[in-house]
DNA sequence: TTTT
DNA sequence: TTTT
């Protein structure tokens, strides 16, 4: 069946990423990012609405997140929507929506944000200019085109 | 502030749209669409996972949805993620995520789906080829370029 | 450096794909797709403008294109813009823009289009529901999430 | 006909925008932005390829571009691909591809880039936080949702 | 919980 | 012609 589930976000991390290393060495990182929009309400007053997105990244991207992303940073995120359901402690069905990212690019963000890395400015470029794990690329780049 | 919240979906309606006409004549339509992906599990068995997205459209697009969309149809949706929170009857904070669409294009879908319109094939094109309200276009098209 | 180059298209093939198999077994396919928009001109007359996009796909996607895509078909394309420059026979610098696709999904299109495959309806789903080579996925799907 | 023509770019301006004000007061701005990708060549050497995109913005966005964008700046661009054809002076048919943007967000870019505005940091927020003309929004924000 |  |  023909379907597409694609999300593109540019926003700021609300917290440092939380990283777990699973058995087998697979890493997973989670962090919230905020997007905001301003609008005028009925009285013409400017209002702001902030949306929070729970981002999940796996493997190489999780390691990139662990090393280079920090609260306040601005990131470009590309991924898909996933809604998990679970039973809460009262046994009631609950839903939780997250964005599983498969592409991620650091955009800088708050200039004093600082990163876990001592030199945040070069952090991205040391991994190839783009803050993403080459293994996650949709297309290998070493072929003749 | 620099932020982007963009969703692109291609999926099939799980139900006919539910349309409400608010006081003031504003229409709002809601419908679920499914996206699916297949993957291989640890045993190499092919598995399918279906994701359900709650779509909300306003005004002109709601009227387009009411007229032309029906269960089974395939649609292209462009919009943003919005998470609403509310208190459930036990007074516990709950979250509900929906996609507020600002662009929508019918793609046909199940050929026997039928539409509320008697001639689904021409439904889209009768409204200008693209199933969307011109008023929602990001760019007027009647200017010299 | 932080950059993103992403294109999303839904359109119809203007011709059957042309496929070449390079030394080493790598396949590359090319085909044009059309997108259209309608607008009102200064006189309020409805006009249509068609845009042609030159699509290039490599490896697994090229084989999918060869097998399943045909003139008239509707496809979803995700990729990046690439402008090649070359000297024409008079030695003048020329530019040619194409879309290098890394994701592709058949959407059906002209119902009488027919495909190279005897059963176009199941062509997509037989390759996992989504007309793309698993090797091109941004994310392996056989891991625990 | 169901079609989509959408481009998403994050890149840096190669030059200051060139702005023209047409008869009737309509503004149009043009500027090039660069996107880069790195890849390993056959010898495992890291290579970089830069892609140049010609951006065109109209009306309110053109005025935003004029005021706030400058060479070196990083921007998020959303728009569509347009290929114009024309006859060159030898009467040969030539093609020129550009991106007609309908959404644009300043992302900062080179910190010493400076803007035409004396306080580039507040430039974006003075226009509502997001560097775009509200008139170009796909959805009015002053309604009850 | 971010950013402007 | 940008940026890292």
């Amino acid at each position: 069946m023909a379907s597409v589930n694609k999300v593109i976000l540019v926003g700021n991390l609300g917290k440092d990423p939380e990283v777990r290393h699973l058995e087998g060495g697979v890493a997973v990182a989670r962090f919230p990012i905020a997007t905001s929009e301003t609008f005028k309400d009925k009285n013409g007053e400017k209002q702001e609405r902030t949306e929070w997105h729970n981002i999940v990244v796996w493997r190489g991207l999780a390691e990139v997140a662990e090393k280079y992303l920090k609260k306040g940073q601005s990131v470009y995120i590309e991924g898909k929507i996933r809604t998990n359901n679970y039973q809460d402690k009262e046994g009631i069905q609950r839903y939780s929506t997250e964005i599983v990212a498969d592409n991620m690019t650091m955009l800088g963000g708050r200039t004093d944000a600082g990163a876990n890395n001592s030199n945040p400015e070069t952090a991205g470029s040391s991994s190839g200019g783009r803050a993403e794990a080459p293994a996650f690329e949709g297309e290998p780049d070493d072929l003749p085109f």
Side-chain angles (χ1 to χ4, degrees), chain A residues 87-92:
Chain A
Q87 307 243 339
D88 69 10
K89 41 201 169 188
E90 285 89 32
I92 303 173

Side-chain angles (χ1 to χ4, degrees), chain A residues 76-124:
Chain A
Y76 169 90
I77 291 283
E78 206 176 301
K80 62 184 167 189
I81 302 175
R82 168 161 299 192
T83 297
N84 299 298
N85 56 61
Y86 61 97
Q87 307 243 339
D88 69 10
K89 41 201 169 188
E90 285 89 32
I92 303 173
Q93 188 82 340
R94 302 295 177 202
Y95 300 91
S96 157
T97 296
E98 61 194 19
I99 306 304
V100 182
D102 52 33
N103 198 353
M104 189 173 79
T105 297
M106 296 171 19
L107 298 174
R110 229 179 52 210
T111 49
D112 62 326
N116 296 319
N117 188 281
S118 60
N119 187 346
E121 292 307 327
T122 58

Side-chain angles (χ1 to χ4, degrees), chain A residues 15-26:
Chain A
K15 296 183 187 172
D16 291 355
E18 291 180 3
V19 188
R20 283 192 310 139
H21 293 270
L22 307 184
E23 63 304 343
V26 174

